[in-house]
Amino acid sequence: MPAPITLPDIPEAERTPLIEQLLELIETLAEKTHQQAETIQQLRDAIAVLKGEKAKPTFK
């Protein structure tokens, strides 16, 4: 799974409405990407089970 995105700290004085919108968009897309990666892994595990292979183990 890809590493989480870390955004640089932007001083409040430099945060324009456009910058705020872009930061929200980046956060939204990062969360969606994370959810999609989880779904893809679940589907790969399901395919492996259907093929008679073992699913990828989950670690805490």
Side-chain angles (χ1 to χ4, degrees):
M1 202 173 298
I5 297 174
T6 54
L7 299 174
D9 290 329
I10 300 175
E12 195 64 36
E14 295 180 13
R15 287 184 176 228
T16 64
L18 177 60
I19 298 293
E20 291 291 336
Q21 287 179 339
L22 290 173
L23 290 173
E24 288 179 26
L25 180 61
I26 290 169
E27 290 173 1
T28 301
L29 292 174
E31 178 62 31
K32 187 167 187 140
T33 302
H34 179 72
Q35 291 173 350
Q36 289 174 341
E38 288 179 355
T39 301
I40 288 169
Q41 187 58 53
Q42 291 171 354
L43 292 171
R44 285 182 177 160
D45 290 344
I47 290 169
V49 169
L50 291 172
K51 287 182 173 181
E53 302 168 358
K54 291 185 179 178
K56 183 177 179 182
T58 54
F59 299 102
K60 290 186 177 182

Coordinates of all heavy atoms in Angstrom, one line a residue:
M1 N 0.8 -1.2 0.0 CA 0.0 0.0 0.0 C 0.9 1.2 0.0 O 1.9 1.3 0.7 CB -0.9 0.0 1.2 CG -2.1 0.8 1.1 SD -3.3 0.7 2.4 CE -3.8 -1.0 2.3
P2 N 0.5 2.3 -0.7 CA 1.3 3.5 -0.8 C 1.4 4.2 0.5 O 0.5 4.1 1.4 CB 0.7 4.3 -1.9 CG -0.7 3.8 -2.1 CD -0.7 2.4 -1.6
A3 N 2.5 4.9 0.7 CA 2.7 5.7 1.9 C 1.7 6.8 2.0 O 1.3 7.4 1.0 CB 4.1 6.2 2.0
P4 N 1.3 7.1 3.2 CA 0.3 8.3 3.3 C 0.9 9.6 2.9 O 2.1 9.8 3.0 CB 0.0 8.3 4.8 CG 1.0 7.5 5.5 CD 1.6 6.6 4.5
I5 N 0.1 10.4 2.3 CA 0.6 11.7 1.9 C 0.7 12.7 3.0 O -0.2 12.8 3.8 CB -0.4 12.3 0.8 CG1 -0.5 11.4 -0.4 CG2 0.0 13.7 0.4 CD1 -1.5 11.8 -1.4
T6 N 1.9 13.3 3.1 CA 2.1 14.3 4.2 C 2.2 15.7 3.5 O 3.1 15.9 2.6 CB 3.3 14.1 5.0 OG1 4.4 13.9 4.1 CG2 3.2 12.8 5.8
L7 N 1.3 16.6 3.8 CA 1.3 17.9 3.2 C 2.2 18.8 4.0 O 2.2 18.7 5.2 CB -0.2 18.4 3.2 CG -1.2 17.6 2.4 CD1 -2.6 18.2 2.5 CD2 -0.8 17.6 0.9
P8 N 2.8 19.7 3.3 CA 3.7 20.7 4.0 C 2.8 21.7 4.8 O 1.7 21.9 4.4 CB 4.5 21.4 2.9 CG 3.6 21.3 1.7 CD 2.9 19.9 1.9
D9 N 3.4 22.2 5.9 CA 2.7 23.2 6.7 C 2.7 24.5 5.9 O 3.7 25.0 5.5 CB 3.3 23.4 8.0 CG 3.1 22.2 8.9 OD1 2.1 21.5 8.8 OD2 4.0 22.0 9.8
I10 N 1.5 25.1 5.7 CA 1.4 26.3 5.0 C 0.9 27.4 6.0 O -0.1 27.2 6.6 CB 0.4 26.2 3.8 CG1 0.9 25.2 2.8 CG2 0.2 27.6 3.1 CD1 -0.1 24.9 1.7
P11 N 1.7 28.5 6.1 CA 1.3 29.5 7.1 C -0.1 30.0 6.8 O -0.5 30.1 5.6 CB 2.4 30.6 6.9 CG 3.5 29.9 6.3 CD 2.9 28.8 5.5
E12 N -0.8 30.4 7.8 CA -2.2 31.0 7.7 C -2.2 32.2 6.8 O -3.1 32.4 6.0 CB -2.7 31.3 9.1 CG -4.2 31.5 9.1 CD -5.0 30.3 8.7 OE1 -4.6 29.2 9.1 OE2 -6.1 30.4 8.1
A13 N -1.1 33.0 6.8 CA -1.1 34.2 6.0 C -1.0 33.8 4.5 O -1.5 34.6 3.6 CB 0.1 35.0 6.3
E14 N -0.5 32.7 4.1 CA -0.4 32.3 2.7 C -1.6 31.4 2.2 O -1.6 31.0 1.1 CB 0.9 31.5 2.5 CG 2.1 32.3 2.7 CD 3.4 31.6 2.5 OE1 3.4 30.4 1.9 OE2 4.5 32.1 2.9
R15 N -2.5 31.1 3.1 CA -3.6 30.2 2.7 C -4.7 31.1 2.1 O -5.5 31.7 2.8 CB -4.2 29.5 4.0 CG -3.2 28.4 4.4 CD -3.9 27.6 5.6 NE -3.0 26.5 5.9 CZ -3.4 25.3 6.1 NH1 -4.7 25.0 6.0 NH2 -2.6 24.3 6.4
T16 N -4.8 31.0 0.8 CA -5.9 31.7 0.1 C -7.0 30.7 0.0 O -6.9 29.5 0.2 CB -5.4 32.1 -1.3 OG1 -5.1 31.0 -2.0 CG2 -4.2 33.1 -1.2
P17 N -8.2 31.2 -0.4 CA -9.3 30.3 -0.7 C -9.0 29.2 -1.7 O -9.4 28.0 -1.5 CB -10.4 31.2 -1.2 CG -10.1 32.5 -0.6 CD -8.6 32.6 -0.6
L18 N -8.2 29.5 -2.7 CA -7.8 28.5 -3.6 C -6.9 27.4 -3.0 O -7.1 26.2 -3.2 CB -7.1 29.1 -4.8 CG -6.5 28.2 -5.9 CD1 -7.7 27.4 -6.5 CD2 -5.8 28.9 -6.9
I19 N -6.0 27.8 -2.2 CA -5.1 26.9 -1.5 C -5.9 26.0 -0.6 O -5.7 24.8 -0.5 CB -4.0 27.7 -0.6 CG1 -3.1 28.5 -1.6 CG2 -3.2 26.7 0.2 CD1 -2.2 27.7 -2.5
E20 N -6.9 26.6 0.1 CA -7.8 25.8 1.0 C -8.5 24.7 0.2 O -8.6 23.6 0.6 CB -8.8 26.7 1.8 CG -8.1 27.6 2.8 CD -7.6 26.8 4.0 OE1 -8.1 25.7 4.3 OE2 -6.7 27.4 4.6
Q21 N -9.1 25.1 -0.9 CA -9.8 24.2 -1.8 C -8.9 23.1 -2.3 O -9.3 21.9 -2.3 CB -10.4 24.9 -3.0 CG -11.6 25.7 -2.6 CD -12.2 26.4 -3.8 OE1 -11.5 26.6 -4.9 NE2 -13.4 26.9 -3.8
L22 N -7.7 23.4 -2.7 CA -6.7 22.4 -3.1 C -6.3 21.4 -2.0 O -6.2 20.2 -2.3 CB -5.5 23.1 -3.7 CG -5.7 23.8 -5.1 CD1 -4.5 24.6 -5.4 CD2 -6.1 22.9 -6.2
L23 N -6.1 21.9 -0.8 CA -5.8 21.1 0.3 C -6.9 20.1 0.6 O -6.7 18.9 0.9 CB -5.4 21.9 1.5 CG -4.1 22.7 1.5 CD1 -3.9 23.6 2.7 CD2 -2.9 21.7 1.4
E24 N -8.1 20.6 0.6 CA -9.3 19.7 0.8 C -9.4 18.7 -0.3 O -9.7 17.5 0.0 CB -10.6 20.5 0.8 CG -10.7 21.4 2.1 CD -12.0 22.2 2.1 OE1 -13.0 21.8 1.4 OE2 -12.1 23.2 2.7
L25 N -9.1 19.1 -1.5 CA -9.2 18.1 -2.7 C -8.1 17.0 -2.5 O -8.4 15.9 -2.7 CB -9.0 18.9 -4.0 CG -9.1 18.0 -5.2 CD1 -10.4 17.3 -5.4 CD2 -8.8 18.9 -6.5
I26 N -6.9 17.5 -2.1 CA -5.8 16.5 -1.9 C -6.2 15.5 -0.8 O -6.0 14.3 -1.0 CB -4.5 17.2 -1.6 CG1 -4.0 18.0 -2.8 CG2 -3.5 16.3 -1.1 CD1 -2.9 18.9 -2.6
E27 N -6.7 16.0 0.3 CA -7.1 15.1 1.4 C -8.2 14.1 0.9 O -8.2 12.9 1.3 CB -7.5 15.9 2.6 CG -6.4 16.6 3.2 CD -6.8 17.6 4.3 OE1 -8.1 17.7 4.6 OE2 -6.0 18.3 4.9
T28 N -9.2 14.6 0.2 CA -10.3 13.8 -0.3 C -9.8 12.7 -1.2 O -10.1 11.5 -1.1 CB -11.4 14.6 -1.0 OG1 -11.8 15.6 -0.1 CG2 -12.5 13.8 -1.5
L29 N -8.9 13.1 -2.2 CA -8.4 12.1 -3.1 C -7.5 11.1 -2.4 O -7.5 9.9 -2.8 CB -7.6 12.9 -4.2 CG -8.5 13.7 -5.2 CD1 -7.6 14.5 -6.1 CD2 -9.5 12.8 -5.9
A30 N -6.7 11.5 -1.4 CA -5.9 10.6 -0.7 C -6.7 9.6 0.0 O -6.4 8.4 0.0 CB -5.0 11.4 0.3
E31 N -7.8 10.0 0.7 CA -8.7 9.1 1.4 C -9.3 8.1 0.4 O -9.4 6.9 0.6 CB -9.7 9.8 2.1 CG -10.7 8.9 2.9 CD -10.1 8.1 3.9 OE1 -9.1 8.5 4.5 OE2 -10.6 6.9 4.1
K32 N -9.8 8.6 -0.8 CA -10.4 7.8 -1.8 C -9.4 6.7 -2.3 O -9.7 5.6 -2.5 CB -11.0 8.6 -2.9 CG -11.8 7.8 -3.9 CD -12.5 8.7 -4.8 CE -13.4 7.9 -5.6 NZ -14.7 8.4 -5.8
T33 N -8.2 7.2 -2.5 CA -7.1 6.3 -3.0 C -6.9 5.2 -2.0 O -6.7 4.0 -2.4 CB -5.8 7.0 -3.3 OG1 -6.1 8.1 -4.2 CG2 -4.7 6.1 -3.8
H34 N -6.9 5.5 -0.7 CA -6.7 4.5 0.3 C -7.8 3.5 0.3 O -7.6 2.3 0.4 CB -6.6 5.2 1.7 CG -6.4 4.3 2.8 ND1 -5.2 3.6 3.1 CD2 -7.2 3.9 3.8 CE1 -5.3 2.9 4.1 NE2 -6.6 3.0 4.6
Q35 N -9.0 4.0 0.2 CA -10.2 3.1 0.2 C -10.1 2.2 -1.0 O -10.4 1.0 -0.9 CB -11.5 3.9 0.2 CG -11.8 4.6 1.5 CD -13.0 5.5 1.4 OE1 -13.5 5.8 0.3 NE2 -13.4 6.1 2.5
Q36 N -9.7 2.7 -2.2 CA -9.6 1.9 -3.4 C -8.5 0.8 -3.2 O -8.7 -0.3 -3.7 CB -9.4 2.8 -4.6 CG -10.6 3.6 -5.0 CD -10.3 4.6 -6.1 OE1 -9.1 4.9 -6.4 NE2 -11.3 5.1 -6.8
A37 N -7.4 1.2 -2.6 CA -6.4 0.2 -2.4 C -6.8 -0.9 -1.5 O -6.5 -2.1 -1.8 CB -5.1 0.9 -1.8
E38 N -7.6 -0.6 -0.5 CA -8.2 -1.7 0.4 C -9.1 -2.6 -0.4 O -9.1 -3.8 -0.3 CB -8.9 -1.0 1.6 CG -8.0 -0.4 2.6 CD -8.7 0.2 3.8 OE1 -10.0 0.2 3.7 OE2 -8.0 0.6 4.7
T39 N -10.0 -2.0 -1.2 CA -11.0 -2.7 -2.0 C -10.2 -3.6 -3.0 O -10.6 -4.8 -3.2 CB -11.9 -1.8 -2.8 OG1 -12.6 -1.0 -1.8 CG2 -12.9 -2.6 -3.6
I40 N -9.2 -3.1 -3.6 CA -8.4 -3.9 -4.6 C -7.8 -5.1 -3.9 O -7.8 -6.2 -4.4 CB -7.4 -3.0 -5.3 CG1 -8.0 -2.1 -6.3 CG2 -6.3 -3.9 -6.0 CD1 -7.1 -1.0 -6.8
Q41 N -7.3 -4.9 -2.7 CA -6.7 -6.0 -2.0 C -7.7 -7.1 -1.6 O -7.5 -8.3 -1.7 CB -5.9 -5.5 -0.7 CG -5.2 -6.6 0.0 CD -4.1 -7.3 -1.0 OE1 -3.3 -6.6 -1.6 NE2 -4.1 -8.6 -1.1
Q42 N -8.9 -6.6 -1.2 CA -10.0 -7.6 -0.9 C -10.4 -8.4 -2.1 O -10.6 -9.6 -2.0 CB -11.2 -6.8 -0.3 CG -10.9 -6.2 1.1 CD -12.1 -5.3 1.5 OE1 -13.0 -5.0 0.7 NE2 -12.0 -4.8 2.7
L43 N -10.5 -7.7 -3.2 CA -10.8 -8.4 -4.5 C -9.7 -9.4 -4.9 O -10.0 -10.5 -5.4 CB -11.1 -7.4 -5.6 CG -12.4 -6.5 -5.4 CD1 -12.4 -5.4 -6.4 CD2 -13.6 -7.4 -5.4
R44 N -8.5 -9.0 -4.7 CA -7.4 -9.9 -5.1 C -7.4 -11.1 -4.2 O -7.2 -12.3 -4.6 CB -6.0 -9.2 -4.9 CG -5.8 -8.3 -6.1 CD -4.4 -7.6 -5.9 NE -4.2 -6.8 -7.1 CZ -3.3 -5.8 -7.1 NH1 -2.5 -5.6 -6.0 NH2 -3.1 -5.1 -8.2
D45 N -7.7 -10.9 -2.9 CA -7.9 -12.0 -2.0 C -9.0 -13.0 -2.4 O -8.9 -14.2 -2.3 CB -8.1 -11.5 -0.5 CG -6.8 -10.9 0.1 OD1 -5.7 -11.1 -0.5 OD2 -7.0 -10.2 1.1
A46 N -10.1 -12.4 -2.8 CA -11.3 -13.2 -3.2 C -11.0 -14.0 -4.4 O -11.3 -15.1 -4.5 CB -12.5 -12.3 -3.4
I47 N -10.2 -13.4 -5.4 CA -9.8 -14.1 -6.6 C -8.9 -15.2 -6.2 O -9.0 -16.3 -6.8 CB -9.2 -13.1 -7.6 CG1 -10.2 -12.2 -8.2 CG2 -8.5 -13.9 -8.7 CD1 -9.6 -11.0 -8.9
A48 N -8.0 -15.0 -5.3 CA -7.0 -16.0 -4.9 C -7.8 -17.2 -4.3 O -7.5 -18.4 -4.5 CB -6.0 -15.5 -3.9
V49 N -8.8 -16.9 -3.4 CA -9.6 -18.0 -2.8 C -10.3 -18.8 -3.9 O -10.4 -20.0 -3.8 CB -10.5 -17.4 -1.8 CG1 -11.5 -18.4 -1.3 CG2 -9.8 -16.8 -0.6
L50 N -10.9 -18.1 -4.8 CA -11.6 -18.8 -5.9 C -10.7 -19.7 -6.8 O -11.1 -20.7 -7.3 CB -12.3 -17.8 -6.8 CG -13.5 -17.0 -6.1 CD1 -14.0 -15.9 -7.1 CD2 -14.6 -18.0 -5.8
K51 N -9.4 -19.2 -6.9 CA -8.5 -20.0 -7.6 C -7.9 -21.2 -6.8 O -7.2 -22.0 -7.3 CB -7.3 -19.2 -8.1 CG -7.7 -18.2 -9.2 CD -6.4 -17.4 -9.6 CE -6.6 -16.6 -10.9 NZ -5.4 -15.9 -11.2
G52 N -8.3 -21.2 -5.5 CA -7.8 -22.3 -4.6 C -6.5 -21.9 -4.0 O -5.8 -22.8 -3.4
E53 N -6.1 -20.7 -4.1 CA -4.8 -20.2 -3.4 C -5.2 -19.6 -2.1 O -6.3 -19.4 -1.7 CB -4.2 -19.1 -4.3 CG -3.8 -19.7 -5.7 CD -3.4 -18.5 -6.6 OE1 -3.5 -17.4 -6.2 OE2 -3.1 -18.8 -7.8
K54 N -4.2 -19.3 -1.3 CA -4.4 -18.7 0.0 C -4.4 -17.2 -0.1 O -3.7 -16.6 -0.9 CB -3.3 -19.1 1.0 CG -3.3 -20.5 1.4 CD -2.3 -20.8 2.4 CE -2.3 -22.3 2.8 NZ -1.3 -22.6 3.8
A55 N -5.3 -16.6 0.6 CA -5.4 -15.1 0.6 C -4.2 -14.5 1.4 O -3.6 -15.2 2.2 CB -6.7 -14.7 1.3
K56 N -3.9 -13.3 1.1 CA -2.8 -12.6 1.8 C -3.2 -12.4 3.2 O -4.3 -12.0 3.6 CB -2.6 -11.2 1.1 CG -1.5 -10.4 1.7 CD -1.3 -9.1 1.0 CE -0.1 -8.3 1.5 NZ 0.0 -7.0 0.9
P57 N -2.3 -12.8 4.1 CA -2.6 -12.7 5.6 C -2.7 -11.2 6.0 O -2.0 -10.4 5.4 CB -1.4 -13.4 6.3 CG -0.3 -13.3 5.3 CD -0.9 -13.3 3.9
T58 N -3.5 -11.0 7.0 CA -3.6 -9.6 7.5 C -2.9 -9.5 8.8 O -3.0 -10.4 9.7 CB -5.1 -9.2 7.7 OG1 -5.7 -10.2 8.6 CG2 -5.8 -9.2 6.4
F59 N -2.1 -8.5 9.0 CA -1.4 -8.2 10.2 C -1.9 -7.0 10.9 O -2.3 -6.1 10.3 CB 0.1 -8.0 9.9 CG 0.8 -9.2 9.2 CD1 1.0 -9.2 7.8 CD2 1.1 -10.3 9.9 CE1 1.6 -10.3 7.2 CE2 1.7 -11.4 9.3 CZ 2.0 -11.4 8.0
K60 N -1.9 -7.1 12.3 CA -2.3 -5.9 13.0 C -1.2 -5.0 13.3 O -0.1 -5.3 13.4 CB -3.0 -6.3 14.3 CG -4.3 -7.0 14.1 CD -4.9 -7.3 15.4 CE -6.3 -7.9 15.2 NZ -7.0 -8.2 16.4

